[in-house]
């Protein structure tokens, strides 16, 4: 019931359930070491430092269904997980769910629904969409609500480092406490202030020491859910949620922090800044920051607030094969902004049909030429290790399918099918 104070249990870390994993075929040999474009350095960098590869991807705010923009972003990180596994890494993947925040509470209030029921329903739909799209699940799928205790501990360590101040009962993080503030986005302060106002911040609130200081604890508002804490009853700010969950589950330093490009600032800048200060200035949070481009509809960013959305679940209900949706997304490099179109969807359906026909033809032969299939595998691996170049990988498979369908070659179809499944997540 909103308004009820729930004492967070400090010891409890039981994560909410993730979703069922698609099977991933084992491929012969190993893939190349994946490189990824790092927003902070602006360079292409090896994505994982050690044998263990660690990824934190910002997850959904579950107040509406999964749209194509979300799907594209989570498919991008799925490609990274698949490339890492193929290169021999043990992958630790954590994803959060912002299951209490302003947009969720506003939508629930608008529709006269309990915010928890709304969240539970949309999370369930998201799981079903991810499963259908063969997106591999994170090992830990963590809601903000279940993480209240560790978020409070995190805020206490910010307070111990003298980084917090109070404003009318709300607690703010002073960005002046972090000398490295700005190193993720590299944006100048005027741009930061503008983006902060657009994306959930409050740069103009009177009384703040700096317009870019961020809320880490909002004092309880009438009619809103609140949790007890050392800072009084309230709920967490957005950036501190990801900083606390990522460092709790992956450690002070991990390989990749991932999200759409709309999260570069303020979200990823502030999460990194919080974590640096909470860790006493030593740890640097993510070694790399990966950002996916925005999917648009008719030239406008697809967003829940604009309402110009194409839902994965609606396409599925209309009978669209989820593998067609996945291929329509993979036709665009993850870092690009692009427009979702009917033509793109039709082209993906066409491509899937061609690939399936080619595999069926190849399967009829006596095993085909394994060397040609191994060459295809090497080329696909090469493309995916190069900043997840899915369009390049699709072109490799297209050439193979064209050759098979024009009867000029019959490489081992089962190895091609396994390559496409394991590395691109497309079941033929
Ligand atoms: N819960 C926060 C992250 S902690 C959040 O941004 N939720 S979200 O539901 O708004 O977005 C989930 C993910 O989808 C984020 O990585 C976001 O950057 C990405 N995303 C949202 N809209 C689009 C879009 N139009 N195109 C591509 N990615 C998008
Ligand atoms: Zn986040």
């Amino acid at each position: 019931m909103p308004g009820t104070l729930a004492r967070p249990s400090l010891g409890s870390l039981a994560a909410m359930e993730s979703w069922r994993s698609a099977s991933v075929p084992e491929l012969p040999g190993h893939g190349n070491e994946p490189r990824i474009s790092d927003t902070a350095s602006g360079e292409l960098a090896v994505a994982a430092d050690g044998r263990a590869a660690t990824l934190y991807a910002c997850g959904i705010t579950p107040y509406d269904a999964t749209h194509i923009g979300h799907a594209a972003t989570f498919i991008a990180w799925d490609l990274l997980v698949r490339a890492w596994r193929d290169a021999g890494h043990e992958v630790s993947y954590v994803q959060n769910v912002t299951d209490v925040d302003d947009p969720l509470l506003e939508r629930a209030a608008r529709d006269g629904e309990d915010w928890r029921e709304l969240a539970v329903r949309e999370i369930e739909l998201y799981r079903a969409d991810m499963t259908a799209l063969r997106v591999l699940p994170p090992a830990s799928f963590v809601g903000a609500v279940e993480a209240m205790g560790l978020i409070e501990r995190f805020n206490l360590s910010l307070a111990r480092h003298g980084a917090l101040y109070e404003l009318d009962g709300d607690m703010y993080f002073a960005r002046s406490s972090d000398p490295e503030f700005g190193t993720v986005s590299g944006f100048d302060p005027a741009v930061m202030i503008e983006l902060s106002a657009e994306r959930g911040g409050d740069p103009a609130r009177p009384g703040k020491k700096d317009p870019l200081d961020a809320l880490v604890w909002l004092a309880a508002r009438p009619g809103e859910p609140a949790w007890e804490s050392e800072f009084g009853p309230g709920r967490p700010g957005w950036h501190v949620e990801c900083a606390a969950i990522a460092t709790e589950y992956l450690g002070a330093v991990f390989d990749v922090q991932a999200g759409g490009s709309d999260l570069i600032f303020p979200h990823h800048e502030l999460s990194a800044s919080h974590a640096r200060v909470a860790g006493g200035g030593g740890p640097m949070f993510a070694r790399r920051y990966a950002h996916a481009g925005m999917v648009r509809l008719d030239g406008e960013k697809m967003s829940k607030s604009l309402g110009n959305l194409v839902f994965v679940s609606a396409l599925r209900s209309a009978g669209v094969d989820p593998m067609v949706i996945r291929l329509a997304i993979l036709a665009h490099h993850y870092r690009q902004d692009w427009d979702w179109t009917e033509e793109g969807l039709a082209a993906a359906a066409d491509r899937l049909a061609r690939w399936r026909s080619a595999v069926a033809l190849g399967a009829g032969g006596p095993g085909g030429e394994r060397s040609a299939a191994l060459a295809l595998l090497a080329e696909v691996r090469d493309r995916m290790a190069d900043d997840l170049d899915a369009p390049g990988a699709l072109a490799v498979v297209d050439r193979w399918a064209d050759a098979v369908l024009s009867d000029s070659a019959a490489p081992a179809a089962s190895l091609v099918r396994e390559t496409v499944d394991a590395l691109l997540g497309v079941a033929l």
Side-chain angles (χ1 to χ4, degrees):
M1 206 181 316
T4 303
L5 285 188
R7 176 75 207 161
S9 58
L10 287 168
S12 144
L13 280 183
M16 68 168 74
E17 251 175 71
S18 198
W19 57 91
R20 187 169 49 80
S21 178
S23 60
V24 182
E26 286 287 327
L27 299 172
H30 275 305
N32 321 353
E33 194 54 54
R35 288 168 182 269
I36 195 144
S37 186
D38 170 32
T39 302
S41 67
E43 284 169 8
L44 197 62
V46 171
D49 266 21
R51 184 174 140 68
T54 43
L55 169 66
Y56 182 86
C58 282
I60 54 164
T61 305
Y63 69 91
D64 213 337
T66 321
H67 61 63
I68 296 291
H70 301 134
T73 289
F74 295 111
I75 284 175
W77 318 137
D78 183 50
L79 296 176
L80 176 61
V81 168
R82 288 169 180 275
W84 265 340
R85 284 172 61 147
D86 184 52
H89 288 285
E90 293 277 351
V91 179
S92 293
Y93 180 9
V94 179
Q95 189 179 126
N96 72 307
V97 179
T98 307
D99 57 359
V100 60
D101 201 5
D102 298 341
L104 177 75
L105 299 175
E106 284 160 15
R107 177 63 60 92
R110 187 197 79 178
D111 296 349
E113 189 176 14
D114 184 294
W115 61 279
R116 282 163 299 198
E117 277 169 22
L118 172 61
V120 164
R121 189 178 67 241
E122 297 304 345
I123 294 166
E124 196 44 42
L125 188 56
Y126 171 72
R127 286 191 187 100
D129 288 334
M130 292 296 111
T131 306
L133 292 170
R134 294 177 78 84
V135 172
L136 300 176
S140 302
F141 187 48
V142 189
V145 169
E146 75 192 67
M148 275 312 155
L150 66 97
I151 294 171
E152 181 179 19
R153 283 204 299 270
F154 187 92
N155 275 342
L156 287 170
S157 68
L158 286 177
R160 270 197 308 279
H161 286 97
L164 302 188
Y165 64 91
E166 195 197 318
L167 180 57
D168 299 333
D170 296 333
M171 297 305 298
Y172 276 90
F173 169 80
R175 64 106 159 187
S176 61
S177 59
D178 175 22
E180 289 177 60
F181 184 90
T183 50
V184 172
S185 66
F187 294 155
D188 66 49
V191 173
M192 289 182 183
I193 289 173
E194 205 179 301
L195 290 175
S196 163
E198 271 171 35
R199 298 173 180 168
D202 55 2
R205 179 170 176 181
K208 285 176 69 172
K209 292 183 179 166
D210 184 293
L212 296 174
D213 290 348
L215 265 175
V216 296
W217 192 253
L218 284 80
R221 267 76 168 156
E224 286 192 357
W227 288 260
E228 278 179 25
S229 89
E230 298 277 339
F231 306 97
R235 60 186 170 92
W238 174 28
H239 319 305
V240 81
E241 168 193 340
C242 284
I245 296 174
T247 52
E248 172 75 22
Y249 283 82
L250 293 174
V253 181
F254 56 94
D255 290 312
V256 176
Q257 156 79 310
S261 61
D262 57 341
L263 300 188
I264 297 173
F265 197 91
H267 187 51
H268 288 175
E269 191 74 76
L270 262 303
S271 295
S273 188
H274 290 339
R276 264 193 301 270
V277 173
M284 53 184 176
F285 202 53
R287 296 187 181 96
R288 338 237 172 270
Y289 294 84
H291 291 107
M294 290 293 109
V295 181
R296 300 172 302 222
L297 193 65
D298 303 323
E300 285 267 27
K301 176 195 164 188
M302 228 182 246
S303 77
K304 287 181 275 205
S305 46
L306 289 175
N308 57 341
L309 306 172
V310 175
F311 295 119
V312 173
S313 46
L315 290 172
R316 287 167 54 218
S317 306
V320 178
D321 184 330
M323 294 299 97
V324 170
I325 304 173
R326 186 155 174 131
L327 273 179
I329 289 170
L330 293 179
H332 303 273
H333 191 272
Y334 80 94
R335 290 179 60 217
Q336 302 284 308
D337 294 340
W338 57 280
D339 270 276
W340 174 262
T341 61
E342 283 296 323
E343 297 78 62
L345 190 64
D350 201 49
R351 175 175 263 140
L352 186 67
R354 287 176 71 74
W355 289 10
R356 283 190 172 149
S357 307
V359 162
L361 268 186
E369 273 178 69
R370 193 166 163 86
S371 62
L374 284 169
L376 175 141
L377 167 60
E379 281 185 84
V380 170
R381 277 178 164 155
D382 182 63
R383 287 301 79 230
M384 297 316 289
D386 179 14
D387 202 18
L388 311 174
D389 178 14
L394 299 197
V396 171
V397 182
D398 281 344
R399 280 197 294 279
W400 166 82
D402 287 346
V404 172
L405 294 172
S406 64
D407 207 22
S408 61
S414 60
L415 180 54
V416 173
R417 199 184 55 240
E418 284 160 8
T419 298
V420 169
D421 185 346
L423 298 178
L424 300 175
V426 177
L428 294 179

